[in-house]
Amino acid sequence: MKRINKTSLSGFVNYGIVTAAFLVLQLLLGAGRLSNSLQSLLVPACCYIVMAVSLNLTVGILGELSLGHAGFMSLGAFSGITASILLQSAIPMAPLRLAVSMAVGAAFGALGGVIVGVPVLRLQGDYLAIVTLAFGQIIQNIIMVLYVGVDENGLHIAASSDRFQLALGGTAIIKGPMGAVGVTKLASFTAGFVLILITLLVVQNLVNSRSGRAIMALRDNRIAAESVGINVTKYKLMAFVTSAALAGGAGALFGLNYSSTAASKFSFNTSILVLVFVVLGGLGSIRGSIIAAALLYVLPELLRAWDIAEYRMLIYAVILILVMLATNNDKLKALLDRIIPKRKGAQANG
């Protein structure tokens, strides 16, 4: 019972941090204290927080390195945009259409997770990382040659502009290298806040469930976990697909925040950026992922205000190196263990 109470308290602290930040930012918005540039970062910051928490489920909780997380975000973005345009007449209410589009994005992200996960999760370490990296690149290249539109005859999909023909009055949704254009912006900061809460609810309940303990057992010692009857493929796929679905939902929200979205926004660099958030926040630490993603995403804007934006990547690299040195310092870890008792035991729940 004592452990359950600590786990529940840690989860509620995460909810409290996110809710407090949302209320403070809403007050600042109402008072006009946020610049236009900072306001434009609110929805993308929510998306990247969800991306960081979901990737931490794969990297920190499951213990498998994934370098193609932006691929799932891309699937969610373009499927969500397509769904929002197709449902314009059927669902005129923007918030409801946004919710349905995000659900579609999450479904396509989960489908991508299944397609990749079933054959790939038998691999480990560097091999898994390379395959997920290849998946992200494949998705990006497919979208760059994909043409999608709708007219009176229904939905049209083609792999080249020559074969893409729409009837008079038809709407082109995805135009190959140009990506999705003419998108009606539906995303809102409130929707981003709700998505973060849903992500926390899903991830924290999974981690603290029987399935979550099985997933962490696989991370700690796969052979020992198999010896006591834990189904490796089942629990790995569960974590991987859940992570991909959440990334897909974040991608749909991200895509519907702009009037146009190109596949280049979901490149390998995006996957690495999210991985940096996870590593800096602490592997297995949900709260750390939230804080790291929020701070590091708005950091370029702060650096721009200080006229040192060109040093952003250098600062990222220095911070990453310092964190790695600090977390591998035995004296510092011993000091933290004295200051924060049982820190290691609570890490996965934080």
Side-chain angles (χ1 to χ4, degrees), residues 140-172:
Q140 182 181 353
N141 283 280
I142 288 176
I143 293 175
M144 290 185 70
V145 300
L146 189 66
Y147 291 81
V148 179
V150 61
D151 58 17
E152 57 186 12
N153 299 317
L155 185 67
H156 297 264
I157 302 175
S160 67
S161 58
D162 297 335
R163 299 179 181 180
F164 186 61
Q165 301 293 332
L166 295 177
L168 186 64
T171 301

Side-chain angles (χ1 to χ4, degrees), residues 236-254:
K236 277 193 171 185
L237 192 62
M238 181 186 298
F240 197 73
V241 171
T242 301
S243 175
L246 293 172
L253 181 66
F254 185 88

Side-chain angles (χ1 to χ4, degrees), residues 56-75:
N56 210 343
L57 180 59
T58 300
V59 178
I61 307 301
L62 178 60
E64 297 290 355
L65 179 60
S66 173
L67 298 179
H69 210 52
F72 302 119
M73 188 182 189
S74 178
L75 284 174

